[in-house]
Amino acid sequence: MEKIGFVGLGIMGAPMAGHLLDAGYEVIASDHRGALPTELVGKGLKAVSGHQALAKAADIIILMVPDTPQVADVLFGENSVASGLSKGKLVIDMSSISPIETKEFAKKINALGCDYLDAPVSGGEVGAKAASLTIMVGGEEKPFERARPVFEKMGKNITLVGPNGVGQTTKVANQIVVALTIEAVAEALVFASKAGADPAKVRQALMGGLAASRILEVHGDRMVKRTFAPGFRIELHQKDLNLALQGAKALGVSLPNTSMTQELFNSCAANGGAKEDHSALVRALERMANFEVGSEAADAKGKAA
């Protein structure tokens, strides 16, 4: 089995790396940011000092970091992955970053005699823990097939969408759908709750009809129960929608509802919610309605009506 170097052991990366360890892979991490997750060390996670050493020790290097600048720094900054690569190695970026920059990163890695895949994921913390992530891959067929056994330990719906950059483009499209659906669920629950209906029962009823969705199931439940600990932070979804809007401007495409939803995320961030789960977008609508989903006032209003 190939040795895996893993950079980015956060909310998503830690369970993903854990699944690789559980499957018997030797997984190596860089200790440049401090102590490694205790649970992963207990499973056999090994540590080296710096990204260069990690790239030298691993056959496949996986990145799972927040944004484009972090990927650039890991790959090409001081003590970088690129400086430790040798011919035949494979770099997989599973972060969600700029499709344009991704193409440039791929060219630089390819010039070193190595392969590059952009393989962003969807499914959030729940999918990462359950190894049920959707993985959208950009790159060539041969490295994709090489990586498939690794992907299969972390996800279920794994698709080679096109050449380098197309994986990231697909992820941006995914984030548009997710954001707009969260907004729609939030509107529906604010409306129903303020009208006097029990939002939990409304959600249950809607799950049996055409409005049913994974977002209504998971994020609708978060809105009702007020559980906004981050599975995917608002500030990260803002980053993804910025990529969508920047790309739309370059393409001459109008994304009116994406722009509106971004403004709601901006409102949440301005009110201290940048690090909350993106389902907390409902708070922006609640502020405009001067009403919180599931508040006791709903019962009184419903009875008065």
Side-chain angles (χ1 to χ4, degrees):
M1 299 178 76
E2 297 190 279
K3 296 180 182 179
I4 310 295
F6 208 109
V7 180
L9 299 173
I11 290 174
M12 299 286 289
M16 291 165 67
H19 294 311
L20 296 177
L21 287 163
D22 290 340
Y25 283 98
E26 181 178 337
V27 181
I28 307 158
S30 168
D31 62 2
H32 79 296
R33 295 258 173 146
L36 299 174
T38 304
E39 181 182 355
L40 297 185
V41 173
K43 289 183 176 185
L45 179 70
K46 297 181 179 180
V48 294
S49 181
H51 301 319
Q52 182 185 70
L54 180 144
K56 287 181 178 179
D59 303 305
I60 298 174
I61 299 92
I62 296 175
L63 281 65
M64 190 62 178
V65 298
D67 202 351
T68 309
Q70 287 77 34
V71 173
D73 182 60
V74 170
L75 290 179
F76 308 112
E78 185 178 354
N79 194 22
S80 67
V81 164
S83 67
L85 291 175
S86 54
K87 287 185 178 180
K89 298 199 174 188
L90 171 61
V91 176
I92 307 174
D93 179 26
M94 303 189 77
S95 319
S96 297
I97 69 167
S98 164
I100 296 172
E101 293 298 314
T102 290
K103 293 176 184 178
E104 295 305 313
F105 296 162
K107 289 178 183 178
K108 291 179 181 180
I109 297 300
N110 291 158
L112 299 173
C114 300
D115 290 313
Y116 190 96
L117 297 173
D118 49 293
V121 303
S122 179
E125 182 183 14
V126 173
K129 288 182 174 180
S132 61
L133 293 168
T134 289
I135 305 175
M136 310 156 231
V137 188
E140 299 299 321
E141 182 75 29
K142 187 174 180 179
F144 172 72
E145 290 302 329
R146 177 182 177 184
R148 186 190 289 275
V150 176
F151 289 147
E152 287 175 345
K153 301 301 182 290
M154 299 181 285
K156 298 297 184 186
N157 182 21
I158 303 160
T159 306
L160 178 62
V161 188
N164 285 131
V166 176
Q168 295 294 352
T169 297
T170 304
K171 178 57 186 292
V172 171
N174 177 86
Q175 295 303 81
I176 292 172
V177 174
V178 170
L180 270 60
T181 309
I182 289 174
E183 196 280 334
V185 169
E187 279 197 20
L189 293 181
V190 169
F191 166 77
S193 185
K194 192 163 186 180
D198 181 338
K201 291 182 179 179
V202 169
R203 173 186 160 277
Q204 181 181 352
L206 295 178
M207 282 301 299
L210 190 59
S213 70
R214 181 67 172 156
I215 288 171
L216 177 62
E217 179 186 359
V218 175
H219 293 80
D221 190 55
R222 286 175 174 266
M223 293 174 196
V224 172
K225 293 180 179 176
R226 320 305 294 171
T227 52
F228 298 129
F232 188 76
R233 300 191 303 273
I234 281 175
E235 62 187 356
L236 293 179
H237 213 141
Q238 285 180 291
K239 175 260 296 183
D240 291 340
L241 293 192
N242 279 337
L243 292 174
L245 295 170
Q246 290 164 6
K249 182 177 181 181
L251 293 168
V253 174
S254 178
L255 301 177
N257 290 325
T258 301
S259 298
M260 181 272 294
T261 303
Q262 180 73 312
E263 290 302 327
L264 294 175
F265 279 137
N266 292 344
S267 172
C268 290
N271 282 274
K275 297 190 182 301
E276 291 188 313
D277 186 77
H278 51 175
S279 58
L281 176 145
V282 71
R283 293 193 192 275
L285 296 171
E286 289 171 340
R287 280 189 291 271
M288 288 190 283
N290 191 28
F291 184 85
E292 184 176 290
V293 168
S295 71
E296 293 179 359
D299 288 335
K301 184 174 179 65
K303 290 174 183 177

